[in-house]
Amino acid sequence: MNNTLKVERAILNLTQDDLAKKIGVSRQTINSIEKNRYVPSTVLALKLSELFEKPVNEFFSLSEND
């Protein structure tokens, strides 16, 4: 899975820690998602969608390997 979470976070001028606190996860979770080491749950993806005010598929997409 590919994502543009880091870009979306930068647009809102949020640190990893800021974003983590807003959606109730650890900074390490945000870091792992940004580095494609962790695939977020549906609930977490929806929280991000709500925060960014964008559909989930605007910042997450399937890669060729998915």
Side-chain angles (χ1 to χ4, degrees):
M1 180 180 300
N2 301 314
N3 74 76
T4 59
L5 189 59
K6 187 174 185 176
V7 172
E8 297 297 336
R9 184 171 56 77
I11 290 168
L12 295 180
N13 200 30
L14 296 171
T15 65
Q16 287 182 343
D17 193 52
D18 293 337
L19 178 56
K21 287 176 182 171
K22 285 184 178 289
I23 61 172
V25 298
S26 69
R27 184 201 58 77
Q28 291 85 351
T29 297
I30 300 301
N31 183 270
S32 292
I33 294 170
E34 288 182 359
K35 293 182 183 272
N36 294 315
R37 292 189 309 238
Y38 176 74
V39 176
S41 68
T42 303
V43 170
L44 182 51
L46 290 171
K47 286 181 179 182
L48 290 165
S49 175
E50 188 174 284
L51 180 76
F52 295 138
E53 298 180 349
K54 293 183 177 184
V56 172
N57 63 346
E58 284 196 24
F59 50 93
F60 288 111
S61 61
L62 295 174
S63 65
E64 275 189 27
N65 300 329
D66 291 331

